Amino acid sequence: MSSNSVDAVESGKKKLVGGSKWAFLGRVATALFAFAVNALAARILSPEELGLYFLAVSLVTFASLIAQFGLDRAAIRLISSSMAAARFGDIRQIARKVLLISLCASVVLASVISVFAESLILPAFNAEKLSESLVWLLIWISVLAIETIIANLFRGFHDIKFAILFSGLLRTCILCMLFAVFWVVMGAEGTSLHNVVVLSVASTVTSMVLGQLLLSLKVKKLPFDGANIHNA
C-alpha cells in the first residue's frame, strides 16, 4: 500500500472518530437543553397550557416532516455523491433547488393547514386555544422544515459539527435561554401560551437564518468543477 493510501486511510479514521464524538456530544447536549426547556415551560405555563404547548410541538414537528417532502435524505445522498465526484457546480444547484422546493412545499402545506386548522384539526385535539397562535404555528412549520434541510445539507458535506448544531442543538439552546430570561423578567403570571409559541418560533428562525448564512458561505467557497476537493 502506498504512502498516499495509508494517509488517506488514517485521515478517514480520524474524521470518523471525530464525527462520532461530535455526534455523541451533540445529542447529549441537545437532550439536556430539551430537558431544561421542558422544565422551564412547566414553570411558566399552567398545566393546561403546557399540554397544549407539547401538542403544538408534536403537530409542528409532524407537519414539518411532511413539508420536507423526503428532501432531507435526498440532500445527503446527492451532496455526498457530488462531493465524491468533485462536481461542485452540481452541488450549488442541488443546494439551491432543495431549499427552494422545501420552501415551496412548506408554504403549500401551511396554506392547506390554515384552511382546515380552526374547523377540523384543532377541534379534533380540543386545542381551539391554539388558534390564537395559528399564524405563528404555520411559520414554525415552514422554518423548522427548512432548518432540517439545512442540517442535512451540512451532513452531505460531511460537516458533522454544523449538521448536529442545526439539527436542534442551537435551537434548543436559544429557546432555553429565552425561556429563562422570560421567566425571570415576566414571571409565571406574565407568561402566556402565545408568548411561549412566539419564543419557540424565534429560536427556530434564528437557528435557520444562521444555518443558511453558514451554508451559503460554504457553498461559495467550493472550487470549480475538477478542482481539488481539499481546496473547498
Side-chain angles (χ1 to χ4, degrees), residues 200-214:
S200 299
V201 176
S203 68
T204 309
V205 169
T206 303
S207 177
M208 185 273 290
V209 170
L210 182 57
Q212 178 60 55
L213 289 174
L214 292 174

Side-chain angles (χ1 to χ4, degrees), residues 135-183:
V135 173
W136 290 99
L137 293 174
L138 297 176
I139 295 173
W140 195 0
I141 291 169
S142 300
V143 175
L144 181 59
I146 296 172
E147 182 201 31
T148 305
I149 294 294
I150 290 172
N152 281 290
L153 286 171
F154 277 119
R155 193 167 279 111
F157 281 111
H158 305 295
D159 193 332
I160 302 301
K161 294 179 184 179
F162 282 156
I164 293 298
L165 185 65
F166 297 110
S167 291
L169 175 56
L170 180 60
R171 179 186 353 117
T172 52
C173 176
I174 294 172
L175 186 57
C176 183
M177 291 187 291
L178 289 175
F179 276 8
V181 170
F182 207 79
W183 181 38

Side-chain angles (χ1 to χ4, degrees), residues 83-176:
M83 285 287 288
R87 298 194 304 268
F88 302 113
D90 290 350
I91 292 174
R92 294 183 179 90
Q93 293 183 20
I94 290 168
R96 284 194 295 266
K97 289 180 179 179
V98 165
L99 288 172
L100 180 60
I101 294 172
S102 177
L103 175 61
C104 293
S106 299
V107 171
V108 171
L109 180 62
S111 300
V112 172
I113 291 175
S114 67
V115 173
F116 298 101
E118 293 186 275
S119 61
L120 182 62
I121 300 175
L122 296 182
F125 294 97
N126 293 321
E128 289 87 349
K129 191 173 182 179
L130 286 174
S131 61
E132 302 173 8
S133 308
L134 180 58
V135 173
W136 290 99
L137 293 174
L138 297 176
I139 295 173
W140 195 0
I141 291 169
S142 300
V143 175
L144 181 59
I146 296 172
E147 182 201 31
T148 305
I149 294 294
I150 290 172
N152 281 290
L153 286 171
F154 277 119
R155 193 167 279 111
F157 281 111
H158 305 295
D159 193 332
I160 302 301
K161 294 179 184 179
F162 282 156
I164 293 298
L165 185 65
F166 297 110
S167 291
L169 175 56
L170 180 60
R171 179 186 353 117
T172 52
C173 176
I174 294 172
L175 186 57
C176 183

